[in-house]
Amino acid sequence: MNEENKSYLLRDNQILPVSAFSGDCTVEFRFEVLQAETYRLGLLLENTGDGKPLRFCTTHEGLLLLVHGKEKFLMRAFPGLHQKDPNTLRLDIYPGRRLVRYHVNGGFYGERELAHPTDPVLTGGKVSLFIEGKAEIRVTDVSCREAAPPHRAYTLPTPPSEPTAFDTLFPRSVRPGQEVYLLNAGELSLEEYMTALTLQGLVNRRVPRLYVHTGRYNGRGMEGYSTRWYTLLEEKGRTLTPCTLNEALERFSDCYQGLILGELRPAGETSFQMNLITMLAGVEDRIYVSRERAAEMDARLDRLDIDGRWTSDVEAYRWAKENLWPRCHQGILCHMYGDCDLHFTEPSRDYLVQHKIFVFNSSGVKTEDDYYFYFDLLALTPPNTPVLGIACRNGESIHDGVLDEDALFRACAELGKFFVYTFSVDNMSVLSGLETGELRQKPCPPVALDRQKAYVSFLLSEGENYAWAYHLWGENY
């Protein structure tokens, strides 16, 4: 250990030994990208035991990969590396805990299990720098030293004596009213669409009476499914009455007590605006409106302008935890993008508003405290309760979040929660109240197996998310 201040010039597909390691260690190096096409730059850990070698790779797209044997896992996305400017990669390696934590250009980007639980613990080995692909990179200030203890040891919450927060697996609506108003959102602007969804959640909290036909907003080949589901309402004996957004705002004006104003920003610029709007709408009985529409509405309605109120994602969600969480549903959470992702996340916001569900994205992480703050949010609800939504994108913006699929599932499992993907699913504030018969699998008769024969088993999966059942199940099966 304690190898300091070595510098190297790495070219195409080179590998250079740096240092030996044993026990907990921190490996850190600075580098400048001089010339590059497509490349990976990283650290190779070769175990002195029988474990497979591990590679930690940065890429020119701004990704950090863990290469374990022949398997490659995306560890974390981060803003793209700077060409001809210094970059820093630091790995804190804790072999006994099977844990690695990583920092890129001064930002903390989370942690991963170091190896598969069945592999031998990495007790020591050799650290090398390597480059794959076409590039020329100058590496400076290499160091390998004993790692400090992790910044924080996370303590799992104690399960309550009554872990079930509600009677059904997820909150459900009451039965839809006899007359349901059908609002076609296909021609609405983004601002108008958010107005419709926040209004829908408030209206349907009492009795589901407003169905928003999402049309193009539930896109990617799924535009027709919203139609199929509202025809089911007619099959169940409901009367559908078409209405415009203006008519709905007037008819259901008693359902909202205030307005929310704020610019809806595109993906990559921020990841809290839409989520804060969703929570504020739910707990304060407000609807989102554009400034132009607000100018035309009743002046007695309270107006809440959120533009410029928070300067970062973590600041916004800390405020929400302190001020909104006590008024949210205490038995369910949602992890979801907070920007304008029309196809994946927006269609489900009526349900989040209806049930006052706390919704956040694990975005804007710059420090370890930021990272563990999102564990704090996941720990807000009791064990054995659901987390809805979608895992983070693996993009290049800090607003994309740190809890991608692998990290989010692991965090939920450690905290005793179960995660269910819920994207591209609309009108759950209506459909969750529909009458259903008893859903019970029929028992299978016992089968006498012949050990001299080979058998083939056919499995019909329900899919990994609500969208599977919502969009595909009825049509294909």
Side-chain angles (χ1 to χ4, degrees):
M1 280 226 215
N2 297 320
E3 297 287 340
E4 302 285 350
N5 301 323
K6 291 187 177 181
S7 63
Y8 308 96
L9 186 65
L10 273 73
R11 295 187 176 90
D12 310 342
N13 298 308
Q14 279 188 310
I15 181 168
L16 289 171
V18 175
S19 177
F21 79 93
S22 61
D24 297 348
C25 69
T26 290
V27 181
E28 183 172 5
F29 64 100
R30 302 184 71 190
F31 59 94
E32 298 176 9
V33 182
L34 304 179
Q35 297 179 17
E37 294 179 15
T38 300
Y39 70 92
R40 291 179 184 166
L41 172 70
L43 298 175
L44 171 65
L45 275 65
E46 297 177 84
N47 190 17
T48 52
D50 298 326
K52 298 175 182 178
L54 301 178
R55 282 182 168 89
F56 299 95
C57 319
T58 66
T59 74
H60 70 289
E61 298 104 337
L63 303 178
L64 190 63
L65 303 175
L66 165 60
V67 183
H68 182 209
K70 295 182 178 180
E71 299 177 280
K72 297 179 180 178
F73 303 95
L74 180 60
M75 293 178 66
R76 175 68 180 101
F78 57 89
L81 299 174
H82 309 296
Q83 189 158 339
K84 297 185 179 179
D85 287 324
N87 296 274
T88 303
L89 174 63
R90 169 184 151 195
L91 297 175
D92 300 323
I93 304 162
Y94 302 94
R97 308 181 190 209
R98 301 182 183 273
L99 185 70
V100 62
R101 300 155 64 81
Y102 38 97
H103 309 249
V104 180
N105 289 337
F108 178 73
Y109 281 89
E111 61 188 27
R112 276 291 188 278
E113 292 184 4
L114 184 60
H116 193 276
T118 60
D119 288 338
V121 175
L122 285 174
T123 56
K126 181 175 65 176
V127 179
S128 300
L129 294 175
F130 70 90
I131 186 170
E132 296 177 346
K134 301 285 290 183
E136 182 175 331
I137 296 175
R138 178 183 293 118
V139 180
T140 61
D141 300 329
V142 178
S143 66
C144 184
R145 59 188 183 273
E146 183 177 355
H151 179 70
R152 169 182 174 186
Y154 195 82
T155 303
L156 298 182
T158 302
S161 58
E162 297 292 336
T164 303
F166 33 79
D167 294 333
T168 56
L169 190 61
F170 302 101
R172 292 189 63 178
S173 304
V174 300
R175 291 188 176 186
Q178 185 60 40
E179 182 178 24
V180 177
Y181 290 87
L182 177 62
L183 195 165
N184 191 333
E187 301 304 319
L188 297 182
S189 67
L190 173 60
E191 289 79 7
E192 291 170 331
Y193 184 42
M194 276 300 293
T195 301
L197 292 179
T198 50
L199 174 65
Q200 182 186 23
L202 297 179
V203 171
N204 294 344
R205 183 181 295 164
R206 301 178 182 180
V207 176
R209 293 174 291 161
L210 182 60
Y211 187 103
V212 177
H213 177 26
T214 53
R216 64 187 175 95
Y217 285 110
N218 204 349
R220 303 187 182 181
M222 301 177 180
E223 292 87 343
Y225 293 98
S226 184
T227 302
R228 177 164 64 83
W229 283 103
Y230 76 66
T231 58
L232 180 63
L233 287 170
E234 293 180 309
E235 295 173 10
K236 294 283 188 178
R238 270 63 175 191
T239 300
L240 295 180
T241 302
C243 72
T244 65
L245 178 58
N246 287 338
E247 290 169 344
L249 288 169
E250 182 176 353
R251 176 172 295 277
F252 299 115
S253 60
D254 63 325
C255 293
Y256 55 93
Q257 308 302 316
L259 310 177
I260 304 171
L261 310 179
E263 179 185 1
L264 299 185
R265 301 173 187 173
E269 288 191 10
T270 183
S271 194
F272 63 82
Q273 197 90 335
M274 299 291 268
N275 286 342
L276 267 292
I277 289 171
T278 302
M279 288 186 281
L280 285 164
V283 302
E284 296 188 356
D285 293 344
R286 297 176 182 269
I287 60 172
Y288 172 82
V289 295
S290 66
R291 298 184 187 280
E292 293 76 15
R293 182 176 291 275
E296 301 171 356
M297 298 185 70
D298 190 337
R300 292 172 295 181
L301 288 169
D302 181 67
R303 282 140 170 87
L304 175 63
D305 191 338
I306 65 171
D307 274 348
R309 188 163 182 173
W310 306 281
T311 59
S312 72
D313 304 61
V314 173
E315 179 190 353
Y317 290 127
R318 287 188 187 278
W319 180 90
K321 177 176 181 279
E322 180 178 348
N323 295 278
L324 302 182
W325 166 247
R327 293 178 281 169
C328 288
H329 195 300
Q330 300 294 293
I332 188 169
L333 296 169
C334 180
H335 180 278
M336 184 178 286
Y337 311 155
D339 53 23
C340 304
D341 190 300
L342 301 177
H343 305 308
F344 272 156
T345 63
E346 301 321 304
S348 60
R349 293 193 183 273
D350 63 308
Y351 183 78
L352 303 180
V353 172
Q354 178 190 35
H355 294 289
K356 304 180 183 180
I357 296 175
F358 192 93
V359 53
F360 68 96
N361 189 39
S362 54
S363 51
V365 168
K366 296 181 179 179
T367 68
E368 296 178 47
D369 284 338
D370 293 345
Y371 179 79
Y372 281 114
F373 166 68
Y374 289 117
F375 276 69
D376 290 339
L377 294 187
L378 287 173
L380 286 173
T381 50
N384 303 318
T385 51
V387 180
L388 307 179
I390 189 169
C392 291
R393 309 180 190 91
N394 292 312
E396 298 185 13
S397 169
I398 192 173
H399 300 297
D400 289 332
V402 294
L403 295 180
D404 58 17
E405 188 168 286
D406 178 82
L408 181 59
F409 289 1
R410 180 167 61 87
C412 288
E414 289 176 352
L415 294 168
K417 313 297 171 67
F418 57 94
F419 184 86
V420 179
Y421 266 112
T422 48
F423 57 83
S424 298
V425 179
D426 57 78
N427 287 286
M428 289 303 294
S429 64
V430 181
L431 299 175
S432 65
L434 279 177
E435 307 89 339
T436 61
E438 184 180 35
L439 301 176
R440 186 182 298 275
Q441 185 172 345
K442 296 179 180 178
C444 295
V447 177
L449 300 179
D450 185 344
R451 293 185 178 274
Q452 304 302 315
K453 295 181 179 180
Y455 294 88
V456 178
S457 176
F458 293 92
L459 173 66
L460 185 62
S461 171
E462 77 280 7
E464 65 168 356
N465 55 66
Y466 277 171
W468 177 270
Y470 184 78
H471 297 302
L472 302 176
W473 185 265
E475 182 168 302
N476 293 315
Y477 303 107

